[in-house]
Amino acid sequence: MINIQKIKQDFPILSQKIYGKELVYLDNGATTQKPIQVIEKLKSFYSEINSNIHRGVHYLSNKSTEEYENARKTVKEFINAKSTKEIIFTKGTTEAINLVAFSFGETFINEGDEILVSQTEHHSNIVPWQMMCKRKGAKLVVIPAKANGELDLEKYKLLLNSRTKLVAVAHVSNSLGIINSVKEIIDEAHKVGAKVLIDGAQAIQHLKIDVQNLNCDFYTFSGHKIYAETGIGVLFGKEETLNQLSPYQGGGDMIKTVSFEKTEYADLPFKFEAGTANYVGAVSIAEAIKYLNNIGLQEIENHEKELIDYATEKLLEIEGLKIIGTSKHKTSAISFVLEGIHHYDAGLILDKLGIAVRTGTHCAEPTMKHFGITGTIRASFAIYNTKEDIDKLVLGINKVKLMFG
Ligand code: PMP
């Protein structure tokens, strides 16, 4: 059995009071807090190991490089990639998607080709494709969502055709918490020869990911949402596909030889890692993964499922509260609106009660448009949240309602 009180003690930030109230942190979809194990690792890395990677012959540089490359192995095993060549460190999910949009676009996209994204994507999984379509004269096609926020797979299948070159969808929607049927989406796309990118920014910290089983061509996530540092993320890509793509950025570390006449690029994964990588961030991801593995991924999934079910039940008891995205397939985020109360006002009052939630469009304006709303209040959970946190949220919402009469 998972011991949440013990886990909570691993996160120093959670023990503080906000406006004299115990902090209830329910903004984990935006970023997660960091366990002491990750914080200590950063401290010891900077105190004992730090030196630039891949370049030096000296002891510290070799040690740094070893930690960085071990982090790549840890990530490879965590998502069950075939090879470390398939693990590219990026700044985050956004950069990983931009990398694919650029490099895949340069290599494979021609005028008239189609890229499919869904109605419920984060802006990070819309705008890079729009930019690519503009550059290449391709067309962005939208997979519609149903009234409950699930993607309409029947309509999706009808949209697929020989012009479809890539499908990009979130594994879990950040604004609704809905788990998309990515396996089916991937299998269907492959039938027409399209590649698939899965944006795993909201899935990696909640669900066991196996990229071989999913058979996706690309998978992306951010360190800061999985209990590690900001400014680091991961792009998984199938080796064969990555090998075909042109590089995203030029610079140090991504080359074999350079002359003014011709540059030869480095092999994978370095071809896509120009400049000094955020090697400390990568090490923090490895430490965070170690931390999660120690707790047990299945335990985490079970605990968070319990939280979302409990939150759904309790929130639905509140009169005038409407949940946005009512699919049963959800994890760790719940979005709602309160009748007659602006989400921003509700968020401000909850904050004064020590409860951190996110309000607004959640970088998903097309999702809000789909539901005909200007924004929601989103509570998003992590391993350290408890049912008591949800009870406090419910009490807080009732206070908000009282204040607004
Ligand atoms: N996709 C999804 C589904 C997200 O939730 C986020 C972050 N909110 C992103 C992409 C972008 O992640 P980052 O800002 O870490 O690059």
Side-chain angles (χ1 to χ4, degrees):
M1 244 315 250
I2 195 164
N3 183 344
I4 300 300
Q5 287 317 323
K6 190 165 167 289
I7 288 172
K8 222 170 164 172
Q9 283 166 15
D10 288 336
F11 292 80
I13 204 169
L14 298 177
S15 61
Q16 69 181 300
K17 294 215 158 103
I18 303 284
Y19 310 117
K21 310 271 187 327
E22 264 179 45
L23 169 65
V24 177
Y25 187 76
L26 298 175
D27 193 19
N28 296 287
T31 201
T32 53
Q33 301 303 349
K34 319 302 167 201
I36 192 70
Q37 290 81 347
V38 169
I39 298 169
E40 290 292 339
K41 180 71 194 182
L42 293 174
K43 194 172 155 205
S44 74
F45 193 92
Y46 277 122
S47 313
E48 295 156 26
I49 296 173
N50 180 51
S51 181
N52 206 337
I53 52 168
H54 294 153
R55 284 167 197 171
V57 288
H58 60 82
Y59 178 85
L60 286 183
S61 178
N62 285 334
K63 197 98 181 100
S64 240
T65 304
E66 194 182 310
E67 291 256 0
Y68 181 62
E69 292 305 328
N70 278 341
R72 203 188 302 276
K73 269 188 217 143
T74 305
V75 171
K76 170 210 164 266
E77 274 152 33
F78 189 59
I79 62 172
N80 194 30
K82 268 192 194 148
S83 155
T84 48
K85 291 181 188 162
E86 300 182 317
I87 307 298
I88 315 289
F89 284 114
T90 64
K91 272 194 324 199
T93 304
T94 304
E95 191 183 48
I97 297 173
N98 274 280
L99 187 164
V100 178
F102 179 82
S103 295
F104 190 86
E106 287 304 293
T107 316
F108 286 118
I109 301 300
N110 295 307
E111 205 174 324
D113 285 343
E114 295 181 358
I115 309 293
L116 265 61
V117 297
S118 91
Q119 174 84 40
T120 59
E121 296 308 309
H122 187 281
H123 296 161
S124 289
N125 203 23
I126 299 173
V127 185
W129 305 113
Q130 254 171 352
M131 290 161 69
M132 181 248 252
C133 285
K134 202 168 164 205
R135 266 196 320 270
K136 305 299 288 189
K139 189 174 160 200
L140 193 71
V141 179
V142 180
I143 306 164
K146 298 192 278 192
N148 68 357
E150 287 175 11
L151 301 184
D152 191 328
L153 294 190
E154 290 315 308
K155 290 199 178 135
Y156 163 64
K157 286 177 204 167
L158 296 175
L159 291 173
L160 289 167
N161 66 74
S162 60
R163 288 184 304 277
T164 314
K165 291 293 174 306
L166 191 133
V167 177
V169 288
H171 198 161
V172 174
S173 137
N174 71 303
S175 56
L176 309 172
I178 293 176
I179 307 172
N180 290 321
S181 305
V182 286
K183 181 79 183 124
E184 196 178 342
I185 289 172
I186 294 162
D187 290 346
E188 290 298 325
H190 285 167
K191 283 184 193 164
V192 297
K195 304 282 186 210
V196 184
L197 177 140
I198 302 295
D199 169 359
Q202 298 292 342
I204 191 82
Q205 63 284 54
H206 305 302
L207 309 171
K208 171 75 193 127
I209 305 303
D210 181 332
V211 290
Q212 288 191 64
N213 180 264
L214 282 175
N215 198 20
C216 53
D217 302 283
F218 303 102
Y219 198 96
T220 62
F221 65 89
S222 299
H224 70 98
K225 294 185 198 281
I226 183 175
Y227 310 101
E229 275 206 298
T230 48
I232 183 75
V234 170
L235 167 67
F236 155 82
K238 282 187 184 164
E239 186 179 343
E240 193 194 336
T241 309
L242 285 177
N243 263 327
Q244 291 173 298
L245 304 188
S246 40
Y248 174 49
Q249 293 181 328
D253 248 20
M254 55 76 74
I255 50 90
K256 267 185 194 150
T257 60
V258 178
S259 74
F260 286 113
E261 290 71 39
K262 187 175 184 289
T263 290
E264 220 182 302
Y265 303 130
D267 293 329
L268 290 176
F270 312 112
K271 183 171 111 179
F272 291 104
E273 293 183 353
T276 297
N278 182 358
Y279 53 91
V280 191
V283 168
S284 82
I285 288 195
E287 196 62 29
I289 288 176
K290 204 162 106 191
Y291 181 77
L292 296 181
N293 280 338
N294 278 341
I295 297 172
L297 296 175
Q298 192 56 54
E299 303 279 335
I300 293 170
E301 201 173 320
N302 294 347
H303 170 64
E304 292 177 341
K305 173 90 181 83
E306 226 176 275
L307 288 180
I308 188 90
D309 287 348
Y310 185 74
T312 307
E313 181 194 325
K314 291 291 160 189
L315 289 177
L316 280 176
E317 286 170 6
I318 300 175
E319 214 177 299
L321 184 149
K322 186 174 164 210
I323 291 178
I324 304 297
T326 48
S327 163
K328 299 258 175 302
H329 308 290
K330 279 194 186 182
T331 178
S332 286
I334 188 159
S335 246
F336 54 91
V337 290
L338 294 169
E339 202 183 336
I341 303 171
H342 196 275
H343 46 83
Y344 184 69
D345 293 334
L348 278 180
I349 294 165
L350 288 172
D351 173 54
K352 293 290 177 289
L353 300 169
I355 304 167
V357 290
R358 185 137 299 237
T359 61
T361 63
H362 317 292
C363 295
E365 286 180 24
T367 311
M368 300 300 122
K369 193 169 173 211
H370 173 69
F371 288 100
I373 53 179
T374 57
T376 74
I377 304 158
R378 182 189 70 182
S380 51
F381 312 116
I383 38 173
Y384 38 68
N385 288 122
T386 59
K387 287 185 178 170
E388 289 74 54
D389 290 340
I390 293 163
D391 291 338
K392 284 183 187 163
L393 173 68
V394 169
L395 271 175
I397 294 169
N398 282 323
K399 278 198 183 143
V400 170
K401 284 184 60 190
L402 266 179
M403 283 185 73
F404 283 88

